[in-house]
Each structure stands twice: as C-alpha cells, then as structure tokens.
C-alpha cells in the first residue's frame, strides 16, 4: 500500500490539463483501446475517463486485451472501462469487437522477440492489417516506436519525420511494417490515421529515468555506451496520444513524440545521485551515435510537455525514497543491435 506522499504525487501528475480538456471536447464518438493491458494503456484510459467526467461528456470507453492479469482487468472496470477479453490474433473474435469512432492501437510485441520472430511479425505487422480492415470507418491512432529510426550523431538534433527509417533487428523491422501496413490501409480505405512514434515514456513505476535512479540508489555502475536519450513524462505522452485524433490524416500522418532535450545519461545519473544522497558510478566510454527522436513538429502542435526533465528527476527521487512500487520491466534503451 503506497503512502500518502506517493498518492499525492500520482494525483498531481496525472490530472488532465486545460489544453487536453479543450481538445477532448472536439473529439466525437466512443473509444476503444486495443491492447490496453500494457504499460501505457491503463493510465491513458484513466486520463480519458477523468477528462470525460470533468467535461460531463458521456462516451463509451472499451478496453481490449487477453487479460491474463485479473487484477488489471478489475482496475480498468473500476474506473469505468468496459473490458473485452479477446485474443486480437483470433480473427473471428476481432470481428466481434464493437464499431467505434476512435481506435487507439497499443498492441505489439517487443521483449522476447529474439526466438519468437514469427510471433513478433504476426503481432507487429500482420495484426495491424486485420485491425485496419476491421476499423476502416474509424479514426486510428497507432502507437509506433522510435526504434524504427536510424542511429545518428549525438551532436545532431535527432531524427525528424522526414528522415527515412533504418530499423535494426526484427522488432524494429516489424514495427516499421506496422507503420507501412496502417499507411496502406489508410490510403485504400480513406481511414484517417496517425502513426505515433514514441520514445521513451517515463513514469513513476518504469522508464529510463527510474532505471538509472534505481542503479544509482543500489550503487550499481551505469553503462555509458549509449549515453544520450530522449524521454517524455508518460502523462504528457498520454495526452498527446488522445489529442492526436484531431490530427489523423489520409494517408497516415507520422508524428514523433518525445521531450525537447537530448539528454546525457551521465548528467541524469549525477542529478539523480544528488537527490538520492548517493554517488553515481560509471563504466564504458560513450559511443558517438544514439537513437534520437526530434519531436519539434509535435511540440508545435501540442506545446512543450507540461512536466520537464528537472521535475521528472524530482518526482523519481521522491518516488524511490518513499518506497514507491515499480513494474520491473526495463526499457533496454541501451540496446544497439536490435535484439529484444
């Protein structure tokens, strides 16, 4: 049971913003989250329902997953999500899903992809085609990944939407396949679509900043080989995902989503160490390239994220010092050969 400090932190940093509420008013129709059981799905659904409740707007919000976690399903139902247990690769079950105006596609397979390459491609490339065909009359916001982008010099400004993808490894390749398939069906069926290319969302319980903080707290050495990264507070990322329904296009629009800074892992570790009362320890020399996302267009549409990096560091320090829980799923942001 998390203490009062942690509850207040979570309440403060997951509240719908005025900008979010203003845009939500202009998104008509019901919503369905496909693959809601992952790291972002529950918090994104809660944000949506909190926003609808604050506006006094009645909408159905469906959440679809296999729901191997019974407690996760009970939580979603307790906040007002109508849950549907479904294996999305079961085409008969997929076709039974309700028709809705707004589809948030969260399904995908990353960790464990090595050794399950066939399943990885089925989830990440084949399934999007079946979903796009099923929901051809909807608007679709489909989560993608910055992993499809090339590694670039850390002195660059990162990769924007005009740069051609160069995915490394089968997870990233199949994720680019997801983008291509959604784009094909967007053109074929005139389905308004936005490809939401994210890296890396950070939250109280998981993400790059928390991983580094945990290493610092436990006096573990931090690998500086991949010394540069982009992050965005997950609540900001969630708001952008839902607001993106106002920017879906035919053919599909690509949108890079992350924070404005190219961060140094060494700098992050040292800042976290100050807050945690620890000393940061490092190994290896930094490479000259990294996987870096330029989200300038996103910031032009939605403004800068509400929670900046110094605040994220403070939140993370407070969360750890107060014994906050964690998901225990690392991002593997240091991976340079695409093997997840």
């Amino acid at each position: 049971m998390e203490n009062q400090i942690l509850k207040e932190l979570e309440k403060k940093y997951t509240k719908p913003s005025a900008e979010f509420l203003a845009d939500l008013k202009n998104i008509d129709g019901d919503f369905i989250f496909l693959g809601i059981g992952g790291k972002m799905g529950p918090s994104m659904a809660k944000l949506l329902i909190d926003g609808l409740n604050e506006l006094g707007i009645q909408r159905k919000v469906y959440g679809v997953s296999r729901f191997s976690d019974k407690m996760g399903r009970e939580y979603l139902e307790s906040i007002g999500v109508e849950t549907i247990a479904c294996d999305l690769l079961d085409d008969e079950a997929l076709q039974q899903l309700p028709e809705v105006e707004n589809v948030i596609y969260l399904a995908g397979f990353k960790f464990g992809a090595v050794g399950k390459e066939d399943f990885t491609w089925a989830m990440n490339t084949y399934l999007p085609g079946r979903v796009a065909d099923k929901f051809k009359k909807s608007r679709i916001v489909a989560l993608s990944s910055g992993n499809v982008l090339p590694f670039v010099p850390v002195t660059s400004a990162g990769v924007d939407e005009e740069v051609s993808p160069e995915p490394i490894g089968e997870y990233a390749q199949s994720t680019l396949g997801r983008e291509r398939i959604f784009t094909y069906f967007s053109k074929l069926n005139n389905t308004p679509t936005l490809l939401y290319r994210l890296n890396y969302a950070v939250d109280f319980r998981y993400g790059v900043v928390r991983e580094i903080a945990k290493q610092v707290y436990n006096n573990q050495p931090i690998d500086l080989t991949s010394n540069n990264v982009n992050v965005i507070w997950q609540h900001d990322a969630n708001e952008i995902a839902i607001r993106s329904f106002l920017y879906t296009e035919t053919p599909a629009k690509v949108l890079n989503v992350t924070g404005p800074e190219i961060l140094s892992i060494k700098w992050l570790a040292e800042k976290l160490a100050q807050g945690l009362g620890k000393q940061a320890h490092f190994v290896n020399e930094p490479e000259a390239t990294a996987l870096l996302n330029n989200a300038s267009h996103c910031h032009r549409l939605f403004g800068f994220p509400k929670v900046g990096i110094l605040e994220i560091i403070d939140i993370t320090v407070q969360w750890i010092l107060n014994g906050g829980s964690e998901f225990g799923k690392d991002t593997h942001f240091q991976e340079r050969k695409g093997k997840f």
Side-chain angles (χ1 to χ4, degrees):
M1 196 69 174
E2 287 170 350
N3 67 30
Q4 193 60 35
I5 293 173
L6 300 181
K7 288 178 182 176
E8 290 299 321
L9 268 179
E10 194 151 17
K11 183 179 178 182
K12 178 179 178 181
Y13 288 103
T14 59
K15 183 176 171 55
S17 71
E19 293 86 350
F20 173 76
L21 294 172
D23 277 353
L24 185 57
K25 282 181 188 174
N26 296 317
I27 304 171
D28 62 310
D30 296 335
F31 296 80
I32 192 166
F33 291 84
L34 302 178
I36 197 171
K39 288 183 288 192
M40 288 185 76
S43 63
M44 198 183 297
K46 185 177 187 303
L47 165 67
L48 174 59
I49 289 170
D50 286 349
L52 292 170
N53 288 341
E54 195 159 330
L55 292 169
I57 295 174
Q58 294 291 319
R59 296 275 193 273
K60 286 188 180 296
V61 178
Y62 299 100
V64 180
S65 174
R66 286 190 291 268
F67 289 117
S68 52
D69 177 7
K70 182 184 175 185
M71 286 179 63
R73 184 174 190 178
E74 288 173 352
Y75 166 75
L76 289 168
E77 289 178 344
S78 76
I79 63 171
V81 177
E82 295 190 32
T83 62
I84 302 172
C86 173
D87 178 353
L88 292 168
L89 284 172
D90 179 342
D91 202 59
E92 186 176 341
L94 175 64
Q95 298 306 321
Q96 301 283 325
L97 294 177
E99 296 289 342
V100 298
E101 289 85 348
N102 304 296
V103 177
I104 299 182
Y105 185 87
L106 299 166
F109 186 71
K110 181 177 185 179
F111 301 117
V114 173
K116 290 186 176 180
E117 289 81 2
D118 53 346
F119 181 71
T120 301
W121 283 86
M123 280 297 298
N124 294 345
T125 307
Y126 167 76
L127 179 58
R130 302 305 305 135
V131 167
D133 185 61
K134 157 68 179 172
F135 292 103
K136 60 171 68 80
K137 296 177 182 177
S138 303
R139 292 180 287 260
I140 299 174
V141 172
L143 264 73
S144 184
S145 168
N147 281 100
V148 304
L149 302 173
F151 280 75
V152 293
V154 297
T155 52
S156 74
V159 180
D160 65 18
E161 292 87 348
E162 296 178 8
V163 175
S164 296
E166 294 180 29
I168 298 171
E170 297 211 30
Y171 162 69
Q173 291 163 7
S174 62
T175 300
L176 179 59
R178 175 193 303 157
E179 291 190 5
R180 299 298 193 228
I181 293 297
F182 271 121
T183 300
Y184 170 78
F185 280 97
S186 175
K187 291 178 182 177
L188 180 69
N189 297 323
N190 204 35
T191 303
T193 302
L194 183 138
L195 303 170
Y196 178 102
R197 206 179 262 172
L198 172 69
N199 65 304
Y200 287 95
V202 297
D203 193 51
F204 306 100
R205 297 175 180 84
Y206 83 96
V208 173
V209 180
R210 197 193 197 292
E211 288 170 32
I212 297 166
K214 187 178 175 184
Q215 286 180 287
V216 170
Y217 189 71
N218 292 328
N219 299 308
Q220 296 171 335
I222 294 153
D223 185 356
L224 294 182
T225 305
S226 289
N227 185 43
N228 297 89
V229 71
N230 312 108
V231 303
I232 182 171
W233 185 242
Q234 181 176 272
H235 182 75
D236 286 316
N238 286 342
E239 288 203 348
I240 292 167
I242 294 168
R243 293 171 71 190
S244 288
F245 281 111
L246 296 177
Y247 296 93
T248 55
E249 294 179 2
T250 307
K253 177 184 180 69
V254 177
L255 184 70
N256 287 358
V257 180
T258 195
E261 306 97 344
I262 292 176
L263 298 169
S264 154
I265 297 298
K266 187 173 187 292
W267 177 85
L268 268 176
E270 288 171 344
K271 287 290 185 187
L272 288 160
Q274 287 175 17
L276 293 166
K278 295 280 186 173
Q279 183 77 35
H281 305 281
F282 304 102
V283 294
N284 299 327
E285 291 298 312
E287 293 279 349
T289 60
L291 192 64
L292 298 171
N293 183 332
N294 185 320
S296 298
H297 182 54
C298 175
H299 304 149
R300 186 176 186 179
L301 294 177
F302 300 105
F304 284 122
K306 305 288 186 300
V307 183
I309 187 58
L310 291 177
E311 206 164 358
I312 290 170
I313 290 168
D314 289 343
I315 294 165
T316 304
V317 165
Q318 289 184 65
W319 194 262
I320 286 179
L321 291 179
N322 283 279
S325 62
E326 64 176 324
F327 284 152
K329 296 178 181 178
D330 289 347
T331 58
H332 297 275
F333 72 92
Q334 306 97 330
E335 176 57 46
R336 300 180 68 87
K337 296 182 179 178
K339 295 186 182 296
F340 296 99

